[in-house]
Amino acid sequence: KEGISDPCTGAELVLLFFKTDDNIMNLCDDSSGCIGDIYRYEASDLFNYYAQACQNKEKLAKALFELNKEDDFGLRDSLFENSTQFLPEPQLRTMVDGYWSLMEKETGDYKKRHWGLLIELLAKELKDAPLFEKVRLYAWPNISTAACKDIADIWLDSGQPDKALEWLNRIDHSETYLSAERNALLLTIHGQLGNKQQQEQIAWEIFRSYRSPKTLNDLLSIIGEEKREQVIAKETEILLAEKGLSTSHAHFLIDMNCIDLAESYIFERKEQLNGAFYYILPDLAKIMEKNEKYLTTTVILRALLDSILERAKSKTYSHGIRYLKTLDKLSKKINDWRDISTHSNYVNELRKVHGRKSSFWSKYG
């Protein structure tokens, strides 16, 4: 980008770079995906930058068509994104015809679906729902939940919510696969069709599947902002009545500034705290500590520490030591231990049960 100013030369060089993908990806471990992302994002964006200014559209389209005949690592098709920005519709339609011809001649399912995916990408760019529907059903004759959702997606994007709804209605209501994505689509569809009652029903379903500030705001945008306090009060009542512990419910109470209720919710269900959820509980503990809910912070950290010692993996001991030292500090701020053991009794019990884990105790000491 710094050295090439001629747009057609730049576009050509980027396409040549994409041809290195086979050698490069076969000679490295890209389990992190960062090398593939150079092709998918940086290189694709650079191609788009040059291609928009390149005037030889016919040559550009032909080169792009030929490049995507092979794509063993699924990196080259990213060049089709935003292709309407740099190629006129006639060139894109010619590419569709070319790939369709190759697909019809193909006998193997794998290659047939490769051509089909390319046509789908171009159909999305063209907002051509009939073409997308046609190629999906040709390459994958069995109508799956994903197919119904994808076809509904493009009909909606093409400005025909009624057709989108028809495809979503083909999915069995008991099907849970892609339910969140389908509900989001239904919310938009019913909004565009003016089906207020159905839209409200879907909004409640989305909100109650995952209560959060966003899903609450989406619901209130339909039923009315004036019902905010009423909804929060009712949902809080429902959450507190449930016997099970859900960290997402706890976070919802926190997000609604109901810290005291969140503390009670967690503490009353402390036996259900699973220390194996180390990717969720530490944040919850930090929030409780920040709000001076030291006893509830303690039961969360104890669950995490107990889990670490039970698993007996020395590489996680540093986290356990950090939790125990935090517990040491918190113990000085707690006067009423309610129905849990005091800190000194808890540590004594830890030493009895896990006393032979010398590496933990030596590092802690």
Side-chain angles (χ1 to χ4, degrees), residues 31-47:
S31 52
S32 66
C34 62
I35 297 173
D37 284 349
I38 293 172
Y39 290 93
R40 293 187 190 93
Y41 301 107
E42 283 88 352
S44 293
D45 288 346
L46 185 56
F47 176 76

Side-chain angles (χ1 to χ4, degrees), residues 25 42 78 81 109-110 117 132-133 137 145 203 278 311 323 334 356 359 363:
M25 300 305 288
E42 283 88 352
S78 60
E81 292 183 15
D109 284 344
Y110 177 79
L117 283 171
F132 185 95
E133 180 180 317
L137 298 180
T145 297
Y278 55 83
R311 282 179 278 144
Y323 296 147
I334 299 172
R356 297 179 67 180
S359 65
K363 289 175 184 176

